[in-house]
Every structure is written in C-alpha cells, then in structure tokens.
Amino acid sequence: MHGGGDNQEFWLGDDNGGRPVFGETTRNVLDNMIKEGICDPVIVVTPTFYSPVEGKEITEGDYMGIGDSAILSVGSDLKQVLKDLLAQLVDEESSFISVYYGEDVTREDAEEFGSYIQEKSPECEMDITFGGQPIYYYVMSVE
C-alpha cells in the first residue's frame, strides 16, 4: 500500500497514539471493493518507518540524504543531513555542484547552504537554483 507517508497504524489501525487514523475507512473501502467485485481479495502490506534501512535507523520525521544507490545520511536536522551528504558526495575529482531547492525551502536557507558549500568546497563551482519541487527539499548533483 502506498500512501502519503505515516505508518501502518495510520492506514489500517484504530489507535495511533491519539493522532488521526484512516484504519476503518481503509478497511471499508477494501471490503466494499472486494464485495462489488472491483478487486480480488488482497493482503495489504504497509511499510513501517521505525526500522533500520541499509544500516541506518530511520524514524518518523527524519530527513534522508540519498546518493546514487544508497541512503548516505539520516537525521532529524535537515541542515546536518545536507552537510553529511555533501561530505560523502564531494571528492578530489569534484568540480561542480548544482543545488535545486524545493518549494518548502526559503531562499535564505538555500543561500546559507550555498555559503556552506563554498566554505567546505572552494575548489568547486556552484549553482543554486529554485527548482520548486514539491516533495524534495533539495536535489543536489556533484560532478
């Protein structure tokens, strides 16, 4: 089951620690779809965000810095996750860093990150552009 986030209790449960849940609604929709012949009986599998992924402990509200093929950085502080990610992406062969910041990032925060990049990687050219992406705070490319 792919939702907009949260956990199994939110989508299928009746108690999510006092937070809203869709458990009854989700079950009713599925039951009615099966009853009406719209879908076959199914087993619903939901992700849990409270377990290690690729050796990284990820909990609700954490930010993830993802490289080409792995999660490189995880934490509750977006700025620190970005710094850790940058440290793992930039090497002695790097020459250009492109950063696109999303709709939920202020220009000031993006410029602050740009200053950090210039301080830590002065040998690299850099471009920071408003990308406006709705999901990802930052998309970064290191060449």
Side-chain angles (χ1 to χ4, degrees), residues 20-56:
V21 292
F22 282 102
E24 184 177 356
T25 301
T26 302
R27 291 190 308 272
N28 285 341
V29 168
L30 291 171
D31 287 346
N32 286 322
M33 288 175 67
I34 293 166
K35 180 180 171 186
E36 298 294 323
I38 296 170
C39 76
D40 293 326
V42 296
I43 296 173
V44 177
V45 179
T46 61
T48 177
F49 294 104
Y50 306 107
S51 61
V53 176
E54 298 176 3
K56 307 268 193 252

mmCIF file of all heavy atoms in Angstrom, residues 20-56:
data_model
loop_
_atom_site.group_PDB
_atom_site.id
_atom_site.type_symbol
_atom_site.label_atom_id
_atom_site.label_comp_id
_atom_site.label_asym_id
_atom_site.label_seq_id
_atom_site.Cartn_x
_atom_site.Cartn_y
_atom_site.Cartn_z
ATOM 1 N N PRO A 20 -4.847 11.185 14.223
ATOM 2 C CA PRO A 20 -5.864 10.687 13.294
ATOM 3 C C PRO A 20 -5.435 9.381 12.630
ATOM 4 O O PRO A 20 -4.249 9.137 12.421
ATOM 5 C CB PRO A 20 -5.961 11.791 12.243
ATOM 6 C CG PRO A 20 -5.336 12.985 12.844
ATOM 7 C CD PRO A 20 -4.357 12.492 13.869
ATOM 8 N N VAL A 21 -6.432 8.549 12.325
ATOM 9 C CA VAL A 21 -6.185 7.298 11.612
ATOM 10 C C VAL A 21 -7.235 7.130 10.524
ATOM 11 O O VAL A 21 -8.321 7.686 10.590
ATOM 12 C CB VAL A 21 -6.221 6.074 12.560
ATOM 13 C CG1 VAL A 21 -5.062 6.085 13.520
ATOM 14 C CG2 VAL A 21 -7.532 5.977 13.297
ATOM 15 N N PHE A 22 -6.887 6.346 9.511
ATOM 16 C CA PHE A 22 -7.811 6.036 8.427
ATOM 17 C C PHE A 22 -8.146 4.552 8.416
ATOM 18 O O PHE A 22 -8.669 4.038 7.440
ATOM 19 C CB PHE A 22 -7.196 6.416 7.072
ATOM 20 C CG PHE A 22 -7.249 7.881 6.790
ATOM 21 C CD1 PHE A 22 -6.117 8.658 6.942
ATOM 22 C CD2 PHE A 22 -8.418 8.486 6.385
ATOM 23 C CE1 PHE A 22 -6.158 10.016 6.679
ATOM 24 C CE2 PHE A 22 -8.470 9.841 6.129
ATOM 25 C CZ PHE A 22 -7.335 10.607 6.270
ATOM 26 N N GLY A 23 -7.824 3.833 9.507
ATOM 27 C CA GLY A 23 -7.989 2.390 9.535
ATOM 28 C C GLY A 23 -9.366 1.915 9.125
ATOM 29 O O GLY A 23 -9.511 1.085 8.230
ATOM 30 N N GLU A 24 -10.404 2.434 9.764
ATOM 31 C CA GLU A 24 -11.760 1.986 9.455
ATOM 32 C C GLU A 24 -12.119 2.319 8.008
ATOM 33 O O GLU A 24 -12.678 1.490 7.296
ATOM 34 C CB GLU A 24 -12.765 2.623 10.419
ATOM 35 C CG GLU A 24 -14.176 2.125 10.199
ATOM 36 C CD GLU A 24 -15.171 2.696 11.207
ATOM 37 O OE1 GLU A 24 -14.755 3.430 12.125
ATOM 38 O OE2 GLU A 24 -16.351 2.400 11.048
ATOM 39 N N THR A 25 -11.777 3.510 7.556
ATOM 40 C CA THR A 25 -12.071 3.911 6.176
ATOM 41 C C THR A 25 -11.342 3.021 5.177
ATOM 42 O O THR A 25 -11.944 2.531 4.211
ATOM 43 C CB THR A 25 -11.669 5.385 5.943
ATOM 44 O OG1 THR A 25 -12.398 6.202 6.854
ATOM 45 C CG2 THR A 25 -11.948 5.821 4.521
ATOM 46 N N THR A 26 -10.065 2.777 5.412
ATOM 47 C CA THR A 26 -9.287 1.935 4.501
ATOM 48 C C THR A 26 -9.883 0.537 4.430
ATOM 49 O O THR A 26 -10.082 -0.018 3.341
ATOM 50 C CB THR A 26 -7.815 1.850 4.954
ATOM 51 O OG1 THR A 26 -7.271 3.168 5.011
ATOM 52 C CG2 THR A 26 -6.994 1.011 4.000
ATOM 53 N N ARG A 27 -10.185 -0.034 5.586
ATOM 54 C CA ARG A 27 -10.762 -1.381 5.599
ATOM 55 C C ARG A 27 -12.115 -1.417 4.910
ATOM 56 O O ARG A 27 -12.415 -2.343 4.151
ATOM 57 C CB ARG A 27 -10.854 -1.889 7.038
ATOM 58 C CG ARG A 27 -9.491 -2.165 7.674
ATOM 59 C CD ARG A 27 -9.605 -2.897 9.011
ATOM 60 N NE ARG A 27 -10.502 -2.260 9.959
ATOM 61 C CZ ARG A 27 -10.139 -1.311 10.824
ATOM 62 N NH1 ARG A 27 -8.894 -0.877 10.859
ATOM 63 N NH2 ARG A 27 -11.015 -0.795 11.657
ATOM 64 N N ASN A 28 -12.972 -0.409 5.138
ATOM 65 C CA ASN A 28 -14.290 -0.366 4.495
ATOM 66 C C ASN A 28 -14.167 -0.255 2.978
ATOM 67 O O ASN A 28 -14.910 -0.908 2.243
ATOM 68 C CB ASN A 28 -15.125 0.802 5.032
ATOM 69 C CG ASN A 28 -15.659 0.541 6.420
ATOM 70 O OD1 ASN A 28 -15.733 -0.604 6.874
ATOM 71 N ND2 ASN A 28 -16.023 1.610 7.119
ATOM 72 N N VAL A 29 -13.262 0.599 2.514
ATOM 73 C CA VAL A 29 -13.071 0.747 1.067
ATOM 74 C C VAL A 29 -12.636 -0.578 0.463
ATOM 75 O O VAL A 29 -13.197 -1.035 -0.551
ATOM 76 C CB VAL A 29 -12.060 1.872 0.753
ATOM 77 C CG1 VAL A 29 -11.633 1.834 -0.698
ATOM 78 C CG2 VAL A 29 -12.653 3.233 1.106
ATOM 79 N N LEU A 30 -11.646 -1.221 1.060
ATOM 80 C CA LEU A 30 -11.166 -2.503 0.540
ATOM 81 C C LEU A 30 -12.262 -3.565 0.595
ATOM 82 O O LEU A 30 -12.475 -4.302 -0.383
ATOM 83 C CB LEU A 30 -9.929 -2.959 1.302
ATOM 84 C CG LEU A 30 -8.665 -2.138 1.063
ATOM 85 C CD1 LEU A 30 -7.576 -2.548 2.049
ATOM 86 C CD2 LEU A 30 -8.186 -2.281 -0.366
ATOM 87 N N ASP A 31 -12.971 -3.660 1.714
ATOM 88 C CA ASP A 31 -14.048 -4.647 1.845
ATOM 89 C C ASP A 31 -15.120 -4.439 0.782
ATOM 90 O O ASP A 31 -15.597 -5.399 0.164
ATOM 91 C CB ASP A 31 -14.683 -4.591 3.235
ATOM 92 C CG ASP A 31 -13.795 -5.161 4.333
ATOM 93 O OD1 ASP A 31 -12.802 -5.842 3.996
ATOM 94 O OD2 ASP A 31 -14.086 -4.903 5.517
ATOM 95 N N ASN A 32 -15.516 -3.183 0.558
ATOM 96 C CA ASN A 32 -16.549 -2.894 -0.439
ATOM 97 C C ASN A 32 -16.070 -3.149 -1.861
ATOM 98 O O ASN A 32 -16.846 -3.614 -2.704
ATOM 99 C CB ASN A 32 -17.070 -1.463 -0.288
ATOM 100 C CG ASN A 32 -17.974 -1.322 0.918
ATOM 101 O OD1 ASN A 32 -18.765 -2.217 1.222
ATOM 102 N ND2 ASN A 32 -17.857 -0.214 1.629
ATOM 103 N N MET A 33 -14.812 -2.874 -2.139
ATOM 104 C CA MET A 33 -14.274 -3.156 -3.469
ATOM 105 C C MET A 33 -14.273 -4.660 -3.736
ATOM 106 O O MET A 33 -14.611 -5.107 -4.845
ATOM 107 C CB MET A 33 -12.873 -2.581 -3.615
ATOM 108 C CG MET A 33 -12.842 -1.058 -3.709
ATOM 109 S SD MET A 33 -11.169 -0.375 -3.732
ATOM 110 C CE MET A 33 -10.587 -0.970 -5.308
ATOM 111 N N ILE A 34 -13.918 -5.444 -2.734
ATOM 112 C CA ILE A 34 -13.934 -6.906 -2.876
ATOM 113 C C ILE A 34 -15.378 -7.387 -3.044
ATOM 114 O O ILE A 34 -15.682 -8.183 -3.935
ATOM 115 C CB ILE A 34 -13.252 -7.574 -1.673
ATOM 116 C CG1 ILE A 34 -11.751 -7.254 -1.677
ATOM 117 C CG2 ILE A 34 -13.488 -9.082 -1.677
ATOM 118 C CD1 ILE A 34 -11.035 -7.580 -0.378
ATOM 119 N N LYS A 35 -16.299 -6.889 -2.209
ATOM 120 C CA LYS A 35 -17.706 -7.276 -2.260
ATOM 121 C C LYS A 35 -18.325 -6.967 -3.624
ATOM 122 O O LYS A 35 -19.090 -7.768 -4.160
ATOM 123 C CB LYS A 35 -18.477 -6.535 -1.167
ATOM 124 C CG LYS A 35 -19.945 -6.838 -1.107
ATOM 125 C CD LYS A 35 -20.597 -6.045 0.005
ATOM 126 C CE LYS A 35 -22.106 -6.186 -0.064
ATOM 127 N NZ LYS A 35 -22.768 -5.322 0.921
ATOM 128 N N GLU A 36 -17.996 -5.830 -4.211
ATOM 129 C CA GLU A 36 -18.540 -5.410 -5.506
ATOM 130 C C GLU A 36 -17.809 -6.038 -6.692
ATOM 131 O O GLU A 36 -18.159 -5.794 -7.838
ATOM 132 C CB GLU A 36 -18.495 -3.887 -5.631
ATOM 133 C CG GLU A 36 -19.336 -3.152 -4.607
ATOM 134 C CD GLU A 36 -20.830 -3.415 -4.779
ATOM 135 O OE1 GLU A 36 -21.291 -3.532 -5.934
ATOM 136 O OE2 GLU A 36 -21.524 -3.537 -3.742
ATOM 137 N N GLY A 37 -16.770 -6.819 -6.410
ATOM 138 C CA GLY A 37 -16.021 -7.462 -7.493
ATOM 139 C C GLY A 37 -15.068 -6.526 -8.227
ATOM 140 O O GLY A 37 -14.573 -6.839 -9.306
ATOM 141 N N ILE A 38 -14.794 -5.377 -7.630
ATOM 142 C CA ILE A 38 -13.879 -4.413 -8.245
ATOM 143 C C ILE A 38 -12.441 -4.891 -8.115
ATOM 144 O O ILE A 38 -11.611 -4.621 -8.970
ATOM 145 C CB ILE A 38 -14.073 -3.020 -7.611
ATOM 146 C CG1 ILE A 38 -15.478 -2.509 -7.925
ATOM 147 C CG2 ILE A 38 -13.018 -2.032 -8.102
ATOM 148 C CD1 ILE A 38 -15.868 -1.263 -7.164
ATOM 149 N N CYS A 39 -12.152 -5.611 -7.032
ATOM 150 C CA CYS A 39 -10.821 -6.184 -6.874
ATOM 151 C C CYS A 39 -10.934 -7.538 -6.195
ATOM 152 O O CYS A 39 -11.944 -7.847 -5.554
ATOM 153 C CB CYS A 39 -9.882 -5.245 -6.122
ATOM 154 S SG CYS A 39 -10.140 -5.160 -4.352
ATOM 155 N N ASP A 40 -9.930 -8.351 -6.378
ATOM 156 C CA ASP A 40 -9.861 -9.653 -5.723
ATOM 157 C C ASP A 40 -9.450 -9.458 -4.270
ATOM 158 O O ASP A 40 -8.883 -8.422 -3.917
ATOM 159 C CB ASP A 40 -8.826 -10.533 -6.426
ATOM 160 C CG ASP A 40 -9.265 -10.902 -7.833
ATOM 161 O OD1 ASP A 40 -10.479 -11.071 -8.052
ATOM 162 O OD2 ASP A 40 -8.396 -11.010 -8.721
ATOM 163 N N PRO A 41 -9.716 -10.455 -3.429
ATOM 164 C CA PRO A 41 -9.205 -10.372 -2.052
ATOM 165 C C PRO A 41 -7.693 -10.141 -2.070
ATOM 166 O O PRO A 41 -6.981 -10.678 -2.915
ATOM 167 C CB PRO A 41 -9.558 -11.746 -1.470
ATOM 168 C CG PRO A 41 -10.753 -12.178 -2.258
ATOM 169 C CD PRO A 41 -10.494 -11.662 -3.653
ATOM 170 N N VAL A 42 -7.240 -9.320 -1.167
ATOM 171 C CA VAL A 42 -5.838 -8.922 -1.156
ATOM 172 C C VAL A 42 -5.256 -9.018 0.242
ATOM 173 O O VAL A 42 -5.987 -9.049 1.231
ATOM 174 C CB VAL A 42 -5.662 -7.457 -1.654
ATOM 175 C CG1 VAL A 42 -6.081 -7.312 -3.091
ATOM 176 C CG2 VAL A 42 -6.433 -6.487 -0.774
ATOM 177 N N ILE A 43 -3.945 -9.079 0.282
ATOM 178 C CA ILE A 43 -3.202 -8.913 1.524
ATOM 179 C C ILE A 43 -2.563 -7.538 1.435
ATOM 180 O O ILE A 43 -1.874 -7.226 0.465
ATOM 181 C CB ILE A 43 -2.120 -9.997 1.681
ATOM 182 C CG1 ILE A 43 -2.775 -11.369 1.800
ATOM 183 C CG2 ILE A 43 -1.231 -9.685 2.889
ATOM 184 C CD1 ILE A 43 -1.798 -12.510 1.801
ATOM 185 N N VAL A 44 -2.815 -6.700 2.406
ATOM 186 C CA VAL A 44 -2.279 -5.347 2.389
ATOM 187 C C VAL A 44 -1.002 -5.317 3.215
ATOM 188 O O VAL A 44 -0.984 -5.742 4.372
ATOM 189 C CB VAL A 44 -3.300 -4.333 2.951
ATOM 190 C CG1 VAL A 44 -2.700 -2.936 2.992
ATOM 191 C CG2 VAL A 44 -4.565 -4.351 2.115
ATOM 192 N N VAL A 45 0.060 -4.845 2.601
ATOM 193 C CA VAL A 45 1.349 -4.715 3.265
ATOM 194 C C VAL A 45 1.675 -3.232 3.339
ATOM 195 O O VAL A 45 1.564 -2.516 2.353
ATOM 196 C CB VAL A 45 2.448 -5.463 2.475
ATOM 197 C CG1 VAL A 45 3.789 -5.297 3.154
ATOM 198 C CG2 VAL A 45 2.075 -6.928 2.331
ATOM 199 N N THR A 46 2.051 -2.771 4.510
ATOM 200 C CA THR A 46 2.406 -1.362 4.665
ATOM 201 C C THR A 46 3.828 -1.259 5.190
ATOM 202 O O THR A 46 4.292 -2.138 5.912
ATOM 203 C CB THR A 46 1.461 -0.644 5.648
ATOM 204 O OG1 THR A 46 1.579 -1.264 6.920
ATOM 205 C CG2 THR A 46 0.026 -0.683 5.185
ATOM 206 N N PRO A 47 4.511 -0.189 4.821
ATOM 207 C CA PRO A 47 5.859 -0.010 5.350
ATOM 208 C C PRO A 47 5.797 0.441 6.801
ATOM 209 O O PRO A 47 4.823 1.032 7.231
ATOM 210 C CB PRO A 47 6.440 1.096 4.471
ATOM 211 C CG PRO A 47 5.244 1.894 4.069
ATOM 212 C CD PRO A 47 4.118 0.889 3.929
ATOM 213 N N THR A 48 6.829 0.148 7.508
ATOM 214 C CA THR A 48 6.981 0.735 8.831
ATOM 215 C C THR A 48 8.218 1.610 8.784
ATOM 216 O O THR A 48 9.234 1.225 8.212
ATOM 217 C CB THR A 48 7.086 -0.327 9.943
ATOM 218 O OG1 THR A 48 7.299 0.366 11.172
ATOM 219 C CG2 THR A 48 8.183 -1.320 9.709
ATOM 220 N N PHE A 49 8.128 2.775 9.306
ATOM 221 C CA PHE A 49 9.236 3.712 9.248
ATOM 222 C C PHE A 49 10.061 3.679 10.523
ATOM 223 O O PHE A 49 10.828 4.562 10.804
ATOM 224 C CB PHE A 49 8.714 5.125 8.988
ATOM 225 C CG PHE A 49 8.097 5.244 7.635
ATOM 226 C CD1 PHE A 49 6.727 5.279 7.506
ATOM 227 C CD2 PHE A 49 8.872 5.273 6.497
ATOM 228 C CE1 PHE A 49 6.148 5.364 6.254
ATOM 229 C CE2 PHE A 49 8.302 5.368 5.255
ATOM 230 C CZ PHE A 49 6.922 5.412 5.130
ATOM 231 N N TYR A 50 9.901 2.629 11.300
ATOM 232 C CA TYR A 50 10.593 2.555 12.569
ATOM 233 C C TYR A 50 11.580 1.394 12.588
ATOM 234 O O TYR A 50 11.728 0.720 13.570
ATOM 235 C CB TYR A 50 9.575 2.431 13.704
ATOM 236 C CG TYR A 50 8.561 3.532 13.650
ATOM 237 C CD1 TYR A 50 7.261 3.286 13.245
ATOM 238 C CD2 TYR A 50 8.918 4.844 13.941
ATOM 239 C CE1 TYR A 50 6.329 4.316 13.160
ATOM 240 C CE2 TYR A 50 7.998 5.867 13.846
ATOM 241 C CZ TYR A 50 6.713 5.595 13.470
ATOM 242 O OH TYR A 50 5.803 6.611 13.377
ATOM 243 N N SER A 51 12.235 1.157 11.484
ATOM 244 C CA SER A 51 13.194 0.065 11.411
ATOM 245 C C SER A 51 14.389 0.508 10.583
ATOM 246 O O SER A 51 14.295 1.437 9.781
ATOM 247 C CB SER A 51 12.542 -1.172 10.801
ATOM 248 O OG SER A 51 12.097 -0.893 9.501
ATOM 249 N N PRO A 52 15.519 -0.174 10.765
ATOM 250 C CA PRO A 52 16.712 0.220 10.005
ATOM 251 C C PRO A 52 16.556 -0.061 8.513
ATOM 252 O O PRO A 52 15.948 -1.040 8.111
ATOM 253 C CB PRO A 52 17.821 -0.651 10.592
ATOM 254 C CG PRO A 52 17.243 -1.374 11.741
ATOM 255 C CD PRO A 52 15.769 -1.229 11.707
ATOM 256 N N VAL A 53 17.084 0.843 7.710
ATOM 257 C CA VAL A 53 17.140 0.671 6.259
ATOM 258 C C VAL A 53 18.585 0.887 5.861
ATOM 259 O O VAL A 53 19.177 1.923 6.182
ATOM 260 C CB VAL A 53 16.232 1.693 5.529
ATOM 261 C CG1 VAL A 53 16.379 1.552 4.024
ATOM 262 C CG2 VAL A 53 14.782 1.530 5.946
ATOM 263 N N GLU A 54 19.157 -0.093 5.197
ATOM 264 C CA GLU A 54 20.554 -0.012 4.764
ATOM 265 C C GLU A 54 21.472 0.366 5.930
ATOM 266 O O GLU A 54 22.387 1.165 5.794
ATOM 267 C CB GLU A 54 20.695 0.971 3.609
ATOM 268 C CG GLU A 54 19.916 0.568 2.373
ATOM 269 C CD GLU A 54 19.977 1.591 1.260
ATOM 270 O OE1 GLU A 54 20.667 2.616 1.376
ATOM 271 O OE2 GLU A 54 19.314 1.358 0.241
ATOM 272 N N GLY A 55 21.175 -0.180 7.102
ATOM 273 C CA GLY A 55 22.011 0.076 8.271
ATOM 274 C C GLY A 55 21.774 1.420 8.936
ATOM 275 O O GLY A 55 22.459 1.781 9.887
ATOM 276 N N LYS A 56 20.807 2.186 8.467
ATOM 277 C CA LYS A 56 20.506 3.498 9.049
ATOM 278 C C LYS A 56 19.170 3.413 9.787
ATOM 279 O O LYS A 56 18.183 2.926 9.255
ATOM 280 C CB LYS A 56 20.387 4.557 7.947
ATOM 281 C CG LYS A 56 21.567 4.631 6.999
ATOM 282 C CD LYS A 56 22.569 5.630 7.492
ATOM 283 C CE LYS A 56 23.588 5.942 6.429
ATOM 284 N NZ LYS A 56 24.878 5.405 6.657
#
